[in-house]
Amino acid sequence: MIRHASAEPVGGARAGPSGLDTPGSEQFRHLAMGFRGASTVLSAATPLLRAAVAREEAVWVAVDDPSRADLQHRLGRAASAGVVFADPAGDYGYSAQSTAARRAIQLRAATRVGGRATVLAQHGPRRDFGSAYWCEVEACCNVALTGVAVTMICLYPVDDGGRMTPAAYWNHPELLRGDTARPNPEHRLPEQVLASTPTPPAPPLGEPARRLDFGPVAVVALRDVRACAEQLGKRAELTASRREAAAVAVSELVSNTLEHGTGRGTVSWWVEPGRMIAEVHDAGRVRSTTVGLRPPTPAEPRGRGLWLARKLSSSLHIWTDPTGTHARCEI
Amino acid sequence: MSGEAPIPDPAQVLRISFAAEPELIWVVLHGALDLGSLPAAEREVETAERKIVGDAPAEGRRATLGLDLSRLDYIDSSGVRLVLMVDQRAGAAGNRVAVRLGDGAARRVFDMLEITPHLLLADPVADTDPARRGTSR
């Protein structure tokens, strides 16, 4: 269990009479923990993970190989069997928002039937992604996991002064030391973080296989999108279900432009064996690049289009530039 | 591509038929339900809503509108929005909405959006069901 240093729970988490957090609360808790030596932090994390396994939570751990072996030894065989060890270097693409979306989709599924999940993730320097990327991932996780019953503990290395990278402070409402969580006074709202680290564009792809201009007549625009997705999906050798997914995902992006954007735009398509990419561009400016990272409540009739597009895509990256808004989805 | 072909009639994209049962009207949607065909679907569903309210059910019974989405070969979040809005209106009026998703496009989209458990489902349905023998408009 994670103890709260303050009498009041942090971030809306409910606390029991003893001041301990209450398992089963549908509250996302996002904690940062600084470490200098891996063994120190693992000795602190071990009882937290063991307690989560005992509560029959879904427990995921993404640490480097030496730490994994150390942790498995500390947890013992029985507790280790209840932990899913993931590759900390795995399943990351260029799109931080897509990484957060994938995590949220997995964790929503893992906690759907009233359970809770605990995640321990080790952050370290990676050559392929800079600190801005990880900062955006963390901020997008704060958006995407709101209301999901997850405790996510992020391990960050500290410098000689004992400080973590600034993004660790901006993105975590709580700081964990040992088994005690303290409110983090340097925490910022995700909108503030993302305003200071604008979403970068997707990598260039070269000349598209096809360009489809669409206008404000939805029945025409969406018919043409479906026809393109079907035709180009076959060229990409996608299965029927993936062609359907592509048609729905791209249609949702186009519908978004028709309903909330400028009413006209362009879809560019790239095709290669087993993969299709579509990018919708319009001249408007999206209010936030994190749209669609979490679903509306079941009672809310609207607001599911981009959520659905994100679920159907392996990656959906939204960004703005002086020419307008771009949404690139990969199937 | 847009502009090269004549603008299709939304009725070519989405066809709507009705089937009546005692205290129940099924609105059966065929084809594609998307943002373009949504206005036509809304009009027809509103007509059916007025009809079930006009045909007042026996005292103490709630009127039911049926939405049959099992014949759709394409549906996106616009169709989900339609169902949820109709369901809200029905609930506010003390009525209810039954939904057939079938096992095709509608089922996949509603399942993916985690809406299915919140619906009053009328699946599965045998092909002999009278509600499937509606007349296309």
Side-chain angles (χ1 to χ4, degrees):
Chain A
M1 293 265 187
I2 298 169
R3 296 175 184 277
H4 291 284
S6 59
E8 289 297 314
V10 178
R14 287 178 290 147
S18 65
L20 304 180
D21 57 342
T22 306
S25 164
E26 288 189 6
Q27 180 70 40
F28 174 51
R29 299 188 65 190
H30 201 185
L31 307 100
M33 189 177 200
F35 72 97
R36 185 166 282 125
S39 64
T40 313
V41 75
L42 294 178
S43 65
T46 300
L48 302 176
L49 296 177
R50 191 175 284 135
V53 170
R55 291 193 300 268
E56 298 186 335
E57 294 184 7
V59 180
W60 292 353
V61 172
V63 295
D64 59 27
D65 286 344
S67 297
R68 171 182 176 157
D70 187 343
L71 199 53
Q72 285 172 321
H73 176 71
R74 288 168 189 267
L75 286 169
R77 184 172 296 174
S80 289
V83 176
V84 175
F85 285 93
D87 178 5
D91 201 26
Y92 294 110
Y94 68 89
S95 174
Q97 56 191 250
S98 298
T99 297
R102 278 196 301 276
R103 273 190 190 173
I105 288 166
Q106 290 171 327
L107 288 167
R108 278 182 192 282
T111 59
R112 187 171 294 145
V113 284
R116 202 175 164 84
T118 289
V119 178
L120 183 75
Q122 180 181 18
H123 289 251
R126 286 185 48 146
R127 283 171 295 179
D128 43 354
F129 299 117
S131 59
Y133 173 86
W134 295 110
C135 182
E136 192 183 350
V137 169
E138 297 278 31
C140 288
C141 280
N142 284 335
V143 175
L145 286 163
T146 297
V148 184
V150 170
T151 301
M152 185 177 286
I153 304 167
C154 300
L155 308 179
Y156 279 89
V158 296
D159 61 20
D160 292 342
R163 294 277 297 174
M164 299 180 283
T165 180
Y169 296 97
W170 297 345
N171 289 303
H172 296 85
E174 298 176 84
L175 301 177
L176 186 61
R177 180 169 295 176
D179 65 352
T180 303
R182 291 181 166 77
N184 171 19
E186 297 177 66
H187 172 243
R188 300 179 182 181
L189 296 173
E191 306 83 62
Q192 295 172 309
V193 174
L194 294 167
S196 63
T197 55
T199 302
L205 288 174
E207 195 61 23
R210 187 171 301 173
R211 265 201 192 88
L212 169 68
D213 294 326
F214 62 89
V217 183
V219 70
V220 174
L222 298 172
R223 176 204 61 186
D224 291 349
V225 165
R226 284 199 292 275
C228 266
E230 180 66 15
Q231 186 183 10
L232 296 174
K234 281 181 175 170
R235 196 195 295 180
E237 300 166 10
L238 302 185
T239 62
S241 65
R242 291 180 74 201
R243 296 198 301 273
E244 180 185 75
V248 175
V250 182
S251 292
E252 294 293 355
L253 300 176
V254 170
S255 294
N256 196 62
T257 290
L258 297 174
E259 264 201 307
H260 308 295
T262 55
R264 58 180 66 246
T266 304
V267 189
S268 303
W269 305 79
W270 292 265
V271 176
E272 59 187 66
R275 184 167 176 242
M276 186 160 71
I277 298 173
E279 185 175 313
V280 178
H281 174 244
D282 67 51
R285 287 190 73 82
V286 71
R287 59 184 162 81
S288 166
T289 55
T290 61
V291 286
L293 279 181
R294 64 169 182 255
T297 63
E300 174 55 55
R302 303 179 69 97
R304 286 180 177 75
L306 294 182
W307 163 247
L308 180 58
R310 287 196 190 275
K311 289 195 85 169
L312 290 168
S313 310
S314 53
S315 170
L316 171 55
H317 189 67
I318 300 173
W319 76 99
T320 59
D321 66 15
T323 71
T325 297
H326 306 256
R328 180 186 292 179
C329 81
E330 301 187 21
I331 303 287
Chain B
M1 284 174 70
S2 59
E4 294 174 358
I7 294 175
D9 181 351
Q12 294 176 344
V13 176
L14 178 72
R15 288 182 301 109
I16 302 168
S17 60
F18 296 90
E21 293 176 14
E23 299 183 0
L24 170 63
I25 294 176
W26 282 102
V27 182
V28 187
L29 305 170
H30 311 249
L33 178 53
D34 60 18
L35 186 66
S37 57
L38 181 64
E42 284 176 328
R43 277 195 303 275
E44 299 296 347
V45 169
E46 284 168 11
T47 300
E49 284 177 299
R50 285 194 293 273
K51 180 86 167 71
I52 63 160
V53 171
D55 298 344
E59 193 173 340
R61 304 278 303 269
R62 291 194 292 169
T64 304
L65 174 67
L67 295 177
D68 187 343
L69 312 179
S70 64
R71 306 295 184 90
L72 290 171
D73 48 39
Y74 178 88
I75 181 172
D76 62 20
S77 66
S78 303
V80 176
R81 183 200 312 177
L82 172 70
V83 171
L84 294 179
M85 293 185 80
V86 172
D87 192 53
Q88 280 191 350
R89 286 200 296 263
N95 299 321
R96 60 184 184 175
V97 174
V99 180
R100 283 180 185 150
L101 294 179
D103 56 4
R107 168 69 67 167
R108 288 190 288 276
V109 166
F110 277 80
D111 283 355
M112 181 154 278
L113 288 173
E114 300 164 29
I115 302 290
T116 309
H118 301 279
L119 301 176
L120 175 61
L121 286 183
D123 294 301
V125 180
D127 282 343
T128 53
D129 191 292
R132 286 185 173 265
R133 297 200 296 265
T135 305
S136 187
R137 287 164 59 106

